[in-house]
Amino acid sequence: MRGKLTGAQIRAARALVRWSAAELADASALGANTVRRAEVSDGETSLTTANDHAIRRALEAAGVEFLDENGGGPGVRLRKSTRRQG
C-alpha cells in the first residue's frame, strides 16, 4: 500500500516535470491554493485521500515515480523513457 505524499515529494515531483503549482492544479482538477498548502510542509500533507490521489495520478501520468519510505526517506524520480533512441 502506498503512503500519503509529503509536501517535499510534491515540490520535487513538480520540479522534475517543470510544472508550476497552477499547472499541477489544472492537471489534478484541484485548486492552486490546495496544491500550495500541500507543499508547505516537508512531511505528510493534510490533503484528503481523494486530493492526495488526484495529485499522485496527475504527476504519475507526467512520468513521475513516487518512492515510499525505505529507510532513506520517501522520494521521487522520473520513469525511464521507453522511447527508442535512434
Side-chain angles (χ1 to χ4, degrees):
M1 171 130 184
R2 299 187 284 194
K4 282 189 78 172
L5 296 175
T6 67
Q9 281 180 300
I10 297 169
R11 289 192 310 271
R14 266 198 320 105
L16 285 173
V17 295
R18 297 185 175 150
W19 280 0
S20 68
E23 289 169 317
L24 175 54
D26 286 343
S28 59
L30 299 174
N33 284 335
T34 299
V35 171
R36 289 186 192 101
R37 276 193 308 273
E39 292 182 341
V40 170
S41 80
D42 286 336
E44 202 171 277
T45 71
S46 61
L47 288 168
T48 65
T49 301
N51 288 353
D52 182 272
H53 288 183
I55 287 174
R56 182 185 292 270
R57 280 191 305 270
L59 289 166
E60 286 176 341
V64 172
E65 287 184 2
F66 289 95
L67 310 173
D68 289 328
E69 173 72 48
N70 64 357
V76 296
R77 67 179 171 206
L78 284 176
R79 272 193 308 269
K80 277 189 172 180
S81 176
T82 57
R83 212 175 61 195
R84 287 192 171 186
Q85 301 293 324

